Amino acid sequence: MAEDNLAADAITEGLETRFIGQRVLYYSSLTSTMVVAKREAQAGAVEGTVIIADEQTGGRGRLKRAWLTPRGNLALSLILYPSLSYLSSLMMLASLAVVHTIETVTGLKPQIKWPNDVLVNGRKVSGILIENDVQGSTVNYTIIGIGMNVNLKLADVPDIQTIATSLTTELGRDVSRLTVIRRLLVEMEKLYLALLAGGSIYEEWRDRLVTLGQKVRATDGETTNEGIAESVARDGSLLLRGSDGSLTRIVAGDVTLRG
Ligand code: ATP
């Protein structure tokens, strides 16, 4: 088993970031890191605070779907206080940070399924959930939740066995979650600082999307749109070319995409 001490000190010690992950709250088990992060953000936690749990008993994906985090997996939530103009870039930031982390730590070649799932060999290795608290043009807080299948054994999660994968499954060996977390925090800060400095991460995110060129069906509540995923706009929305030639803009929100 790879070295795996996730205690806060082990994560923060010598961490090469200015603020992301400099304060870590570590829990052996939580219902969801998002719940604790929300409470922390409402109480004015310092920017960059990270909540990490070894196991989530009620992890959520989008649309209140379950996100499975048995022990040995990774779940974290990061608190940020960005201005409104950065919100649409945060899903790009989080998915790219996960991609960079997996590449650096394992050498695997991940891809992004629009808008924010990270896949390895076509299967989901990470899911990202972003919750914003916005009043008018003021962002009270943003929480970026990331679930990553690190040492997940697929035999332990029959419900998602055919759609999910994990780093250990792909590599045939365990991976140090500590190394993964520390890298992820560094990658997130790099991208966040680049954004704040006026840089763009859109081009790289777009080029990593496995979705473009594919025939997809986008469902949002009662509305379904089918077509070829032609391109993505700078705000992250997907442009879908219908068989009648029409172009529909799909905003990430609560849309479910099926190939
Ligand atoms: P999609 O179902 O297309 O991935 P989505 O991006 O909205 O849509 P999320 O809501 O982020 O998905 O994630 C929840 C879904 O992910 C669940 O319905 C389940 O199918 C799957 N899932 C749950 N736990 C895991 C996990 N640990 N690894 C991979 N997939 C998971």
Side-chain angles (χ1 to χ4, degrees), residues 45-80:
V46 64
E47 183 164 46
T49 294
V50 170
I51 323 298
I52 293 190
D54 247 350
E55 168 193 65
Q56 291 188 126
T57 53
R60 295 171 282 133
R62 300 187 311 153
L63 303 167
K64 298 197 169 67
R65 292 181 185 132
W67 181 264
L68 306 179
T69 320
R71 213 163 274 284
N73 237 13
L74 198 59
L76 66 84
S77 295
L78 164 68
I79 299 171
L80 295 175

Side-chain angles (χ1 to χ4, degrees), residues 14-249:
L15 185 70
E16 288 178 353
T17 63
R18 287 190 219 163
F19 62 100
I20 291 187
Q22 290 298 330
R23 176 170 181 253
V24 170
L25 304 180
Y26 162 73
Y27 297 84
S28 165
S29 181
L30 274 183
T31 312
S32 160
T33 56
M34 296 303 273
V35 173
V36 176
K38 192 168 170 183
R39 205 170 59 215
E40 280 286 320
Q42 284 168 345
V46 64
E47 183 164 46
T49 294
V50 170
I51 323 298
I52 293 190
D54 247 350
E55 168 193 65
Q56 291 188 126
T57 53
R60 295 171 282 133
R62 300 187 311 153
L63 303 167
K64 298 197 169 67
R65 292 181 185 132
W67 181 264
L68 306 179
T69 320
R71 213 163 274 284
N73 237 13
L74 198 59
L76 66 84
S77 295
L78 164 68
I79 299 171
L80 295 175
Y81 303 108
S83 54
L84 197 60
S85 59
Y86 296 115
L87 289 193
S88 62
S89 300
L90 294 182
M91 68 173 177
M92 304 181 200
L93 176 151
S95 33
L96 277 177
V98 170
V99 164
H100 292 169
T101 299
I102 294 175
E103 270 180 358
T104 308
V105 176
T106 68
L108 293 166
K109 292 282 167 237
Q111 290 178 305
I112 301 170
K113 177 187 157 202
W114 184 89
N116 57 355
D117 286 345
V118 179
L119 313 181
V120 171
N121 291 323
R123 288 167 176 237
K124 193 155 155 179
V125 75
S126 172
I128 293 154
L129 181 67
I130 297 186
E131 290 185 357
N132 301 311
D133 188 77
V134 181
Q135 270 175 317
S137 59
T138 305
V139 180
N140 291 328
Y141 59 82
T142 286
I143 302 172
I144 300 181
I146 299 183
M148 249 173 109
N149 299 332
V150 181
N151 293 324
L152 179 77
K153 306 281 183 284
L154 294 181
D156 294 342
V157 284
D159 289 354
I160 55 167
Q161 218 164 29
T162 54
I163 57 158
T165 190
S166 63
L167 301 183
T168 187
T169 304
E170 297 297 324
L171 293 170
R173 61 173 166 83
D174 277 352
V175 174
S176 160
R177 289 182 304 157
L178 185 59
T179 306
V180 171
I181 292 175
R182 285 168 58 94
R183 190 72 225 171
L184 185 59
L185 298 174
V186 168
E187 293 294 343
M188 285 201 285
E189 188 173 281
K190 251 200 230 170
L191 291 165
Y192 192 51
L193 291 179
L195 272 181
L196 298 185
S200 169
I201 60 174
Y202 156 77
E203 287 80 6
E204 193 195 347
W205 174 74
R206 179 196 60 199
D207 294 347
R208 295 281 192 161
L209 286 172
V210 70
T211 314
L212 297 187
Q214 284 190 357
K215 190 167 181 215
V216 296
R217 187 180 326 125
T219 310
D220 183 358
E222 300 292 289
T223 316
T224 295
N225 280 289
E226 278 190 17
I228 304 289
E230 189 166 287
S231 58
V232 278
R234 296 193 83 86
D235 66 358
S237 55
L238 182 69
L239 299 173
L240 214 59
R241 181 73 67 183
S243 53
D244 58 357
S246 61
L247 201 58
T248 309
R249 179 185 291 265

